[in-house]
Amino acid sequence: MQSETMRNDWKKHEVLDLYQLPFNDLLYLAHRIFRENHDPNKVQVSTLLSVKTGSCSEDCAYCPQSGHYDTEIEKERLLSLDEVKQNAETAREAGASRFCMGAAWRNPSDKNLDQVIKMIEIVKDLGMETCVTIGMLTEPQAQKLKIAGLDYYNHNLDTSPEFYGSVITTRTYQDRLDTLEHVRNSGINVCSGGILGMGESREDRAGLLLQLANLPQHPESVPINMLIKIKGTPLENVDDLDPFEFIRTIAIARILMPKTYVRLSAGREEMNEQTQALCFFAGANSIFYGETLLTAKNPATEKDRALFNKLGIEADKVNSTLSTELNRDIGSTVAPEHGHEQTVVIN
Ligand code: SAM
Ligand code: DTB
Ligand code: SF4
């Protein structure tokens, strides 16, 4: 249930007005809302694994895995359950609390879905939260994933409805909204966001946030990706987005969706530490951790540990008994367990 202070009737002009605020005023407003709803020094940490890589039938213009473009990725069949288990164990040892598995499919076949369900069960048995992103889902498929114990489903709207057609032609905006509805109805937590820096306008960025914030219920998790320009894709040479515009978008996501986990998602490898720090101040409280995203580079784990240390940021933990390299390295102790969610405190 959404609380009374949560709105899902935001107007385009209100969002554009927020973009127009002086930078300090916007960050102050966002940070105040952040503090009222979250611990501002705690960041949720997820690790990604591509369980099926490349040869995707969709034509998403940003994506290294689309079969429509000649990119330099190594294509991979569906990984074995053992490979998944090993990767999840490594992520857990490194301090991730959630393990997210992605597959380059338009949608999963029922046979593939059964295999993904086995992967989910293995990861859950390791005591980690689970997330998958495997394309469009029907409602019965979403229900099967719920029964398997899936915690989050990631399916991004990517951009505004108006700009969408210049990025993807093989499925519609409505297809994406339908999948989100199936996920929501099944009771799985919704993870949905988008990409900035694809050549969209500020109005498009506002349009994306408006779509997310005006869903019947806010997504529990909103990943904001900075485009990673991939050689061979149509967006290879698009102009850079000003990092201040990226930070503003994070701040506005925080204001529109106060309780949501806003993830500073792809593109951190190309971002300096100061930009990331401002994103954390503006309300980002989740990251992808681990040296690869699905196929592209993410910062080295030591670099992220050092950044957390410099900023006094703690990683959220799900299970206190896990070994936590991330927090050990930054001089932390594990606090006693309180129910399911668990925080690792830095001394
Ligand atoms: N195939 C599934 C789908 O599209 O729903 C799941 C995987 S797909 C790679 C997940 C998301 O990654 C995309 O929706 C997009 O937002 C993001 N993404 C893909 N390529 C990216 C890039 N080059 N830069 C930033 N984000 C990217
Ligand atoms: C999301 O919004 N970003 C992640 C995750 N959801 C699946 C993926 C980023 C992919 C970046 C390009 C790559 O690694 O291939
Ligand atoms: Fe396929 Fe997903 Fe990449 Fe689109 S974003 S090409 S659906 S893997």
Side-chain angles (χ1 to χ4, degrees):
M1 265 310 223
Q2 217 109 118
S3 83
E4 297 114 66
T5 53
M6 305 273 259
R7 286 181 52 192
N8 44 22
D9 60 351
W10 291 95
K11 304 284 177 290
K12 178 71 96 35
H13 70 86
E14 292 178 291
V15 181
L16 288 171
D17 286 351
L18 287 169
Y19 269 105
Q20 295 287 358
L21 283 176
F23 189 72
N24 284 341
D25 291 349
L26 175 62
L27 258 64
Y28 178 71
L29 180 59
H31 189 74
R32 210 188 65 208
I33 291 173
F34 186 29
R35 274 184 182 267
E36 283 165 6
N37 292 282
H38 299 267
D39 179 335
N41 301 310
K42 222 182 275 173
V43 167
Q44 188 278 327
V45 171
S46 298
T47 291
L48 271 171
L49 176 68
S50 180
V51 298
K52 187 267 169 185
T53 309
S55 311
C56 184
S57 62
E58 303 300 277
D59 69 352
C60 312
Y62 48 75
C63 187
Q65 302 200 64
S66 167
H68 295 253
Y69 317 121
D70 191 10
T71 62
E72 291 169 353
I73 55 151
E74 287 210 10
K75 302 181 179 82
E76 283 268 9
R77 51 169 180 79
L78 192 58
L79 295 188
S80 70
L81 299 180
D82 265 359
E83 287 168 301
V84 169
K85 188 171 180 200
Q86 277 173 24
N87 277 280
E89 277 170 348
T90 306
R92 187 182 71 167
E93 290 305 311
S97 64
R98 190 177 305 157
F99 195 64
C100 307
M101 294 173 277
W105 292 320
R106 172 176 168 80
N107 57 271
S109 65
D110 285 340
K111 188 166 155 251
N112 283 334
L113 191 77
D114 288 343
Q115 203 58 18
V116 169
I117 284 174
K118 288 186 195 146
M119 294 175 178
I120 292 167
E121 286 163 355
I122 284 173
V123 176
K124 277 194 84 74
D125 283 348
L126 295 174
M128 300 177 86
E129 287 184 330
T130 52
C131 174
V132 298
T133 177
I134 58 178
M136 295 190 286
L137 290 185
T138 63
E139 189 140 349
Q141 286 182 321
Q143 282 160 357
K144 272 180 97 171
L145 289 170
K146 173 66 185 172
I147 292 164
L150 181 68
D151 297 299
Y152 288 80
Y153 194 84
N154 168 243
H155 196 66
N156 290 341
L157 292 177
D158 278 348
T159 190
S160 68
E162 295 78 15
F163 192 66
Y164 184 86
S166 46
V167 181
I168 300 138
T169 69
T170 48
R171 65 177 168 213
T172 65
Y173 212 78
Q174 190 57 47
D175 288 334
R176 291 186 185 248
L177 291 168
D178 290 347
T179 292
L180 292 183
E181 193 182 328
H182 299 153
V183 173
R184 177 57 79 206
N185 290 345
S186 74
I188 298 169
N189 290 308
V190 171
C191 173
S192 186
I195 311 182
L196 311 185
M198 299 193 291
E200 76 285 346
S201 64
R202 176 176 272 187
E203 198 166 336
D204 291 315
R205 291 185 278 278
L208 166 68
L209 294 181
L210 205 62
Q211 286 287 325
L212 294 166
N214 287 346
L215 287 169
Q217 198 177 327
H218 295 166
E220 281 72 17
S221 165
V222 168
I224 307 288
N225 298 278
M226 179 74 108
L227 176 72
I228 304 175
K229 296 179 202 175
I230 307 286
K231 201 163 153 237
T233 62
L235 297 180
E236 173 181 355
N237 294 315
V238 75
D239 285 344
D240 279 344
L241 181 73
D242 184 337
F244 289 115
E245 186 71 5
F246 187 89
I247 299 161
R248 279 182 191 276
T249 306
I250 296 264
I252 297 169
R254 169 54 62 221
I255 293 165
L256 303 186
M257 295 170 281
K259 302 250 182 241
T260 292
Y261 277 75
V262 176
R263 181 171 305 129
L264 168 54
S265 196
R268 289 196 302 114
E269 174 68 357
E270 294 75 16
M271 232 174 245
N272 66 29
E273 292 191 331
Q274 293 78 6
T275 299
Q276 294 183 58
L278 279 172
C279 288
F280 292 133
F281 184 80
N285 59 348
S286 172
I287 58 162
F288 285 122
Y289 174 68
E291 313 206 340
T292 7
L293 292 160
L294 291 172
T295 68
K297 274 180 82 180
N298 202 38
T301 50
E302 307 82 62
K303 221 171 140 192
D304 277 343
R305 284 202 288 272
L307 178 61
F308 273 28
N309 202 9
K310 284 190 228 180
L311 302 178
I313 284 177
E314 307 158 3
D316 255 10
K317 292 304 300 169
V318 165
N319 187 335
S320 67
T321 58
L322 302 178
S323 148
T324 59
E325 203 185 317
L326 179 65
N327 291 283
R328 211 175 36 234
D329 273 29
I330 54 179
S332 63
T333 57
V334 178
E337 194 156 7
H338 301 291
H340 179 64
E341 275 291 320
Q342 157 82 57
T343 303
V344 178
V345 182
I346 299 172
N347 287 320

